[in-house]
Amino acid sequence: MKSLTDQLTTYASYHRDRRNIATHFIGIPMILYAVVILLSRPLWLAESPLAVSPALFASIAASLYYLRLDIRFGLLMTLILAIMVRFASPIAAESTTNWLSWGVGLFVVGWIFQSIGHIWEGKKPAFLDDVIGLIIGPLFVVSEVVFALGARAELLTAIESKVGKTRMGQQK
């Protein structure tokens, strides 16, 4: 298994344009939440404090992967996924039309944002070369927030030493 630094470096190599990264701050959370919503059916034990669904199992599996990569980021990703699962359950309990409208709508709009960003970047999405990019994308967005807050500077330095700093617009 690749290290956290290796995974984020590979993903970052497809994302050096700040406009593309900005679209990921919108698109990736929308897509992730859409997937959680869509996986929130069937919903078992809906009346209990812990509703059980495929979304719960997928989130646990993803959380274990993130925790294996890095404890601090793993805990943060686990919290984010838990919040998404919690708020997706009521949507899944609504009518099929509402559930699908939210899930599919967020998914499509999220991918529109992603596509615009990659057009600006001039590069294809990372997952087209390695499907693991689908699970690293949310971690990349969280890491960018953490870096912007001034934390994990050593990790940011390690990534930028391999792929360079971000830029505004296309390089000439």
Side-chain angles (χ1 to χ4, degrees):
M1 185 168 110
K2 287 183 178 179
S3 71
L4 172 69
T5 304
D6 291 339
Q7 291 288 18
L8 289 175
T9 298
T10 299
Y11 197 87
S13 70
Y14 291 80
H15 305 87
R16 304 318 302 147
D17 185 309
R18 289 185 191 148
R19 298 169 304 169
N20 187 18
I21 294 170
T23 65
H24 283 54
F25 276 81
I26 299 166
I28 286 180
M30 290 176 82
I31 294 165
L32 182 59
Y33 191 44
V35 169
V36 172
I37 288 170
L38 293 170
L39 289 177
S40 289
R41 274 194 182 184
L43 185 62
W44 303 288
L45 306 173
E47 305 303 319
S48 73
L50 179 64
V52 178
S53 68
L56 177 64
F57 296 122
S59 295
I60 290 169
S63 293
L64 291 172
Y65 176 76
Y66 292 133
L67 287 163
R68 189 162 176 219
L69 276 178
D70 182 84
I71 293 297
R72 291 177 284 178
F73 276 123
L75 290 172
L76 188 52
M77 292 302 300
T78 299
L79 176 63
I80 290 166
L81 288 167
I83 291 168
M84 286 186 171
V85 168
R86 166 64 183 91
F87 287 103
S89 295
I91 295 170
E94 291 182 16
S95 70
T96 300
T97 301
N98 285 345
W99 165 66
L100 285 175
S101 294
W102 276 104
V104 173
L106 286 170
F107 191 83
V108 169
V109 173
W111 278 110
I112 290 169
F113 274 96
Q114 296 294 95
S115 298
I116 291 167
H118 280 284
I119 289 168
W120 284 335
E121 178 90 29
K123 289 185 181 177
K124 61 187 172 185
F127 78 88
L128 291 177
D129 287 332
D130 186 358
V131 74
I132 200 75
L134 291 171
I135 197 166
I136 298 301
L139 181 60
F140 174 78
V141 169
V142 168
S143 70
E144 288 293 316
V145 171
V146 168
F147 298 153
L149 294 173
R152 303 296 299 261
E154 76 291 344
L155 179 58
L156 176 60
T157 300
I159 293 166
E160 288 182 341
S161 72
K162 294 178 182 175
V163 297
K165 294 189 180 291
T166 58
R167 62 186 186 281
M168 282 303 295
Q170 292 287 349
Q171 288 183 323
K172 303 285 181 193

